[in-house]
Amino acid sequence: MNSFSPGFQGRARQVADKLPPGQYPTESFPVLSAGPTPKVPVESWQFTVTTETGRTHAWTWDQMMALPQQETVQDIHCVTRWSKFDTRWRGVSLDTFFEDVETAADYVVVSSYGGYTTNLPLEDLLDGQAWLVHTFDDYPLSPEHGGPARLLVPHLYFWKSAKWVQGIQLTDEDEPGFWESVGYHNYGDPWREQRNWGD
Ligand SMILES: Nc1nc2c(c(=O)[nH]1)N[C@H]1C(S)=C(S)[C@@H](COP(=O)(O)O)O[C@H]1N2
Ligand SMILES: [Mo]
């Protein structure tokens, strides 16, 4: 009767390896928003990247959808301790938006429709680590989860994945965003449990 055991332990081990410290896995998809869900019609939607010298690169919805699209399957980790494994998204790699952007800046502030902001090092958005996503599980991303489009930066706590993303400002100095300025950790690596300032 040992035949069941190895498989079971194998699956338990797989979950343990995917779960950062202090997190628990969930099958549900909780909604966490600091304010009301903004209405963002795709007809007037724009996504912008603005450099530290003030040069703005802008994409309409149709221009964004005409860029190369990627599907990505990722584990996501919320600082409120839930983790969700194997979430499946579709969207555009941030590498694509930055292809023609000339910058010497090291940091970004990401802004959302509705006013939310979050900051991170530019390098954390590049090299296949971040996407602007518009589709979740083959369906258009729902407004509560950030539709029509949100950022997805799965290697950092999920508060860095700005919902209703509007634009990215490149900055020479690191400028704390909404949660970062009220005590959340500036970087937010779930594997180092960087929840609060000082962790
Ligand atoms: N614009 C915006 N983006 C946001 C937030 C928010 O309040 N506003 N909350 C953040 C937090 S704290 C988390 S955990 C995730 C939650 O995403 P979800 O509601 O799709 O689970 O979105 C992040 N992005
Ligand atoms: Mo969160």
Side-chain angles (χ1 to χ4, degrees):
M1 283 303 288
N2 268 340
S3 60
F4 182 72
S5 251
F8 177 76
Q9 283 171 0
R11 276 191 298 281
R13 168 70 60 83
Q14 271 174 15
V15 169
D17 285 351
K18 282 159 71 78
L19 198 62
Q23 298 290 112
Y24 67 88
T26 183
E27 296 286 329
S28 73
F29 196 171
V31 171
L32 283 111
S33 303
T37 296
K39 286 200 177 59
V40 186
V42 295
E43 293 74 27
S44 54
W45 183 90
Q46 249 206 342
F47 177 65
T48 58
V49 174
T50 307
T51 69
E52 70 279 20
T53 64
R55 169 125 199 253
T56 297
H57 303 249
W59 293 265
T60 65
W61 185 263
D62 290 344
Q63 288 168 336
M64 181 275 289
M65 291 300 266
L67 295 171
Q69 306 287 315
Q70 293 182 357
E71 181 169 290
T72 184
V73 177
Q74 300 289 342
D75 301 338
I76 53 179
H77 311 289
C78 176
V79 74
T80 62
R81 298 186 182 273
W82 58 265
S83 290
K84 187 172 172 60
F85 295 143
D86 302 322
T87 60
R88 192 161 55 90
W89 311 81
R90 204 172 163 72
V92 176
S93 168
L94 267 284
D95 293 312
T96 302
F97 293 107
F98 277 92
E99 252 167 35
D100 297 325
V101 175
E102 276 181 45
T103 181
D106 288 330
Y107 303 98
V108 306
V109 176
V110 183
S111 302
S112 298
Y113 291 98
Y116 185 84
T117 58
T118 188
N119 61 303
L120 57 178
L122 172 59
E123 63 178 7
D124 284 82
L125 292 184
L126 304 178
D127 296 325
Q129 299 185 92
W131 295 262
L132 182 150
V133 291
H134 49 71
T135 299
F136 176 77
D137 254 355
D138 294 327
Y139 288 95
L141 185 59
S142 67
E144 317 83 78
H145 286 299
R150 77 180 297 165
L151 204 65
L152 177 65
V153 194
H155 70 287
L156 299 177
Y157 280 125
F158 209 32
W159 87 76
K160 298 284 184 182
S161 294
K163 304 198 278 190
W164 317 295
V165 65
Q166 193 283 314
I168 294 177
Q169 172 71 56
L170 290 147
T171 59
D172 291 322
E173 307 288 330
D174 198 7
E175 296 169 18
F178 178 80
W179 285 117
E180 294 84 0
S181 61
V182 294
Y184 279 33
H185 196 278
N186 194 52
Y187 184 63
D189 179 351
W191 295 97
R192 288 187 277 169
E193 245 194 310
Q194 294 174 336
R195 297 176 191 277
N196 300 300
W197 197 89
D199 282 348

